[in-house]
Amino acid sequence: MEKAHSIEKEQSMEKRRSIEKEQSMEKGQSMEEILRVEGLKKTFKLSSKQQKIEKTNEKVKVAVDHLSFTAYRGEVFGLLGPNGAGKTTTLRMLATLIKPDEGDAVLDGASIVKNPEEVRGKIGFLTSELKLEEFFTPNYLFDFFADLHGVPEEEKNARRKEMFERFGIDRFAEVKVGNLSTGMKQKVSLVISMVHNPDIIIFDEPTNGLDVLTAKVVTDFLVDLKKQGKTVIVSTHIFSLIEKICDRVGIIINGRMEVCDTLKAITGDKSLEDRFFEIYEEKAGKIA
């Protein structure tokens, strides 16, 4: 049954890819595949304490269950799902922070399994879990990560000026991170993740915990990245963010990709929120 489910999902994805390419050709556009995720699976062992919390006798939790999807150059692809759906685990695998138990993903020709170091050079990764060392300043951290990525000195300085001015970091460049506001820390994290000007950017809950003004700055920046031809993979549980910036969206429930399509194809004449809860109840049962 499990194998049949996976085969059916893959056949459905191949059909969708074919349709998307045909539609693109009709419009005179080119869709260059830059990310292909195939059958990613990740499990974690549960301690007895975790078993009690999750009210289960299972000793292993399947966080991501044979997940597959494709993203194209110059698009914003959103992963939408409730907390615990597997979004963060998926992005951590794509960023090569953890290894998949099964499956693989190829980012701009580099495999997360076979070529993790090459992948790291091609991507920018931002997560709310990233904690900057509070003793250092934005200037120091920018230099450190730029040098780590081998960014030439002239390019590094030009990029620092551009990004620091855009996000208002220039006024706090020599202030220790520990003395910055939550919003400013997030801006510094974002700039550092983009220090090497990558073509693929992976953001995990980029506006989580931010005030409305800082959240708008970050959201506007994601839109600008798309205009620059960058590919952005973003996970969130915020419907309005998906609707504002994403070209396509994959809905993840209990580690599985249940729906993957354009926003219009998924929602029809309904809101994304309404369609999400319809899909959730269909796949996972009634909401408690």
Side-chain angles (χ1 to χ4, degrees):
M1 182 68 73
E2 189 72 22
K3 187 175 181 180
H5 178 82
S6 298
I7 292 174
E8 182 181 346
K9 283 285 184 67
E10 183 59 30
Q11 289 175 338
S12 176
M13 286 194 65
E14 287 296 338
K15 183 178 180 181
R16 170 48 53 188
R17 292 185 191 117
S18 177
I19 292 173
E20 286 173 345
K21 288 179 180 179
E22 287 178 5
Q23 291 174 339
S24 175
M25 290 176 67
E26 289 174 0
K27 295 177 182 178
Q29 302 170 335
S30 63
M31 293 186 71
E32 180 187 349
E33 182 179 287
I34 196 169
L35 167 64
R36 177 183 284 263
V37 178
E38 294 185 327
L40 283 186
K41 182 177 181 180
K42 186 65 182 178
T43 59
F44 296 101
K45 291 182 179 179
L46 294 177
S47 66
S48 56
K49 194 178 213 178
Q50 289 172 314
Q51 286 176 291
K52 289 180 181 179
I53 293 173
E54 300 198 15
K55 298 178 181 179
T56 179
N57 293 321
E58 299 292 332
K59 294 184 178 180
V60 175
K61 177 181 176 63
V62 180
V64 176
D65 192 1
H66 296 97
L67 198 72
S68 299
F69 67 92
T70 301
Y72 300 97
R73 190 178 297 278
E75 80 167 350
V76 180
F77 183 93
L79 289 175
L80 176 66
N83 290 335
K87 304 187 303 297
T88 293
T89 301
T90 298
L91 296 193
R92 287 171 66 83
M93 284 190 283
L94 295 183
T96 73
L97 297 181
I98 56 176
K99 294 181 179 179
D101 297 337
E102 297 178 22
D104 198 359
V106 177
L107 293 87
D108 198 16
S111 160
I112 63 171
V113 175
K114 299 175 182 177
N115 319 103
E117 290 188 6
E118 187 178 348
V119 170
R120 290 171 202 144
K122 292 175 178 287
I123 66 170
F125 180 59
L126 175 67
T127 172
S128 57
E129 295 179 357
L130 175 64
K131 304 300 180 186
L132 299 175
E133 176 54 61
E134 298 198 339
F135 178 80
F136 297 119
T137 66
N139 259 340
Y140 177 89
L141 290 169
F142 189 92
D143 283 340
F144 177 83
F145 284 99
D147 292 343
L148 192 66
H149 282 286
V151 180
E153 191 72 18
E154 187 175 340
E155 182 182 337
K156 177 178 72 174
N157 292 331
R159 189 151 181 79
R160 184 208 317 269
K161 184 175 186 302
E162 173 194 350
M163 298 291 278
F164 275 30
E165 287 181 359
R166 169 162 192 160
F167 291 99
I169 301 173
D170 48 340
R171 293 173 294 155
F172 304 94
E174 289 299 331
V175 176
K176 290 182 180 180
V177 169
N179 295 325
L180 298 178
S181 67
T182 300
M184 188 55 66
K185 287 178 182 177
Q186 181 76 336
K187 290 177 182 177
V188 173
S189 296
L190 188 154
V191 167
I192 288 173
S193 71
M194 297 288 297
V195 70
H196 54 308
N197 197 22
D199 287 332
I200 305 171
I201 303 99
I202 301 171
F203 287 155
D204 184 20
E205 303 285 2
T207 61
N208 193 33
L210 299 182
D211 64 81
V212 292
L213 295 178
T214 306
K216 185 180 187 309
V217 170
V218 173
T219 301
D220 289 346
F221 182 62
L222 297 183
V223 174
D224 281 352
L225 289 176
K226 176 186 172 181
K227 291 178 181 177
Q228 294 171 29
K230 308 287 187 182
T231 300
V232 181
I233 311 298
V234 57
S235 82
T236 184
H237 57 273
I238 302 173
F239 299 110
S240 59
L241 180 61
I242 291 285
E243 290 175 319
K244 182 171 183 179
I245 69 172
C246 292
D247 301 290
R248 292 188 304 126
V249 59
I251 295 178
I252 301 181
I253 299 172
N254 294 329
R256 288 183 172 179
M257 182 71 79
E258 297 295 356
V259 178
C260 183
D261 214 323
T262 63
L263 274 171
K264 185 176 180 181
I266 291 175
T267 59
D269 58 356
K270 298 181 179 180
S271 69
L272 179 59
E273 182 175 1
D274 287 343
R275 279 295 293 136
F276 173 81
F277 287 119
E278 285 180 358
I279 294 167
Y280 187 90
E281 289 191 10
E282 177 188 340
K283 302 296 183 180
K286 288 191 176 181
I287 301 166

